[in-house]
């Protein structure tokens, strides 16, 4: 990758379009990684290659998270798409949908997309609870005001003022063609568990199989447009 980050690739070289996964952000990425990798293996069994790049400041990246904002993540994702020699479908999970509107893909697939503010609120609540246990009184407004002037520690993540400002305003962008998927039942849903809510990383093999089947079908539709 031209971004300098590692990328996990599973599946054949050449052939059908590859799927580039954009994981959830922050700790949600750790909680869902096993299931995303299981999904990649299931896609490989169907002859579809997939890639899972590290974002700067996440996973095994050597970049400190405080040096990163959403714009830098989007640039890294754009580099990953440009580096792949062939058509690409982006598959985003949760907050990954805040980053995926980059040039080049022939299609997009999103699971449980979410706004930046929705990701930020539980992190702020966790900090308020931690402050309370330490005998400190804080509020969301106070924390956001402090974070506008200097890096702010939230749920183990040291976020820059730029990152905080961008998260407060970030919404998934409109892209075409796009398939939106939720957890549940029905044509626009897959069966599975909200892994991003678990306290520890886990996996859901049935969910991974369902994700792979839905993505493979969407890849076929995008390739035939």
């Amino acid at each position: 990758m031209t971004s300098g980050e590692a990328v996990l690739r599973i599946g054949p070289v050449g052939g059908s379009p590859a799927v580039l996964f954009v994981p959830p952000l922050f700790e949600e990425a750790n909680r869902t990684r096993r299931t995303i990798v299981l999904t990649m293996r299931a896609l490989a069994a169907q002859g579809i290659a997939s890639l899972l790049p590290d974002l700067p400041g996440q996973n095994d990246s050597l970049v400190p998270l405080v040096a990163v904002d959403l714009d830098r993540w989007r640039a890294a994702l754009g580099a990953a798409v440009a580096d792949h020699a062939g058509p690409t479908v982006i598959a985003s999970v949760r907050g990954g949908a805040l980053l995926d509107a980059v040039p080049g893909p022939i299609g997009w697939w999103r699971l449980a997309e979410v706004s930046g503010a929705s990701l930020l609120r539980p992190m702020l609540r966790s900090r308020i609870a931690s402050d309370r246990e330490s005998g400190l009184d804080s509020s969301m407004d106070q924390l956001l005001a402090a974070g506008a002037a200097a890096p702010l520690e939230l749920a183990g993540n040291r976020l820059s003022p730029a990152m905080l400002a961008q998260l407060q305003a970030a919404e998934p962008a409109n892209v075409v063609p796009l398939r939106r998927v939720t957890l549940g039942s029905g044509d626009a849903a897959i069966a599975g568990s909200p892994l991003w809510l678990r306290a520890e990383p886990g996996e859901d093999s049935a969910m991974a199989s369902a994700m792979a089947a839905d993505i493979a079908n969407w890849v076929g539709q995008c390739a035939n447009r």
Side-chain angles (χ1 to χ4, degrees), residues 88-170:
T88 304
V89 171
I90 289 187
S92 304
V93 181
R94 294 277 290 169
L98 301 173
L99 314 176
D100 66 6
V102 298
I106 63 171
W108 287 260
W109 182 95
R110 290 175 178 168
L111 171 62
E113 60 185 341
V114 66
S115 70
S118 295
L119 292 177
L120 193 55
R121 279 193 293 272
M123 297 169 71
L124 289 165
R125 293 191 192 105
S126 177
R127 171 63 187 268
I128 291 169
S130 177
D131 285 349
R132 187 177 297 117
E133 290 178 359
S134 300
L136 303 174
D137 185 21
S138 62
S139 68
M140 287 193 184
D141 288 342
Q142 290 171 340
L143 290 172
L144 290 174
L152 184 68
E153 187 84 18
L154 293 178
N157 301 284
R158 192 162 181 257
L159 305 182
S160 69
M163 176 70 89
L164 283 170
Q166 291 172 7
L167 281 171
Q168 291 175 73

Side-chain angles (χ1 to χ4, degrees), residues 36-97:
I36 290 176
V37 172
L38 288 176
T39 304
M40 296 170 69
R41 291 173 179 162
L43 284 169
Q46 300 182 59
I48 299 174
S50 55
L51 305 96
L52 178 59
D54 284 350
L55 296 173
Q58 296 279 271
N59 204 40
D60 293 328
S61 173
L62 299 179
V63 176
L65 179 59
V66 72
V68 176
D69 58 21
L70 296 185
D71 288 338
R72 183 166 179 182
W73 276 344
R74 292 186 187 107
L77 184 60
V81 172
D83 282 354
H84 176 63
T88 304
V89 171
I90 289 187
S92 304
V93 181
R94 294 277 290 169

Side-chain angles (χ1 to χ4, degrees), residues 167-194:
L167 281 171
Q168 291 175 73
E171 296 284 348
N174 293 323
V175 290
V176 178
L178 167 64
R179 175 163 171 77
R180 290 186 173 95
V181 179
T182 60
L183 293 181
S185 60
D187 179 64
I190 60 170
S193 53

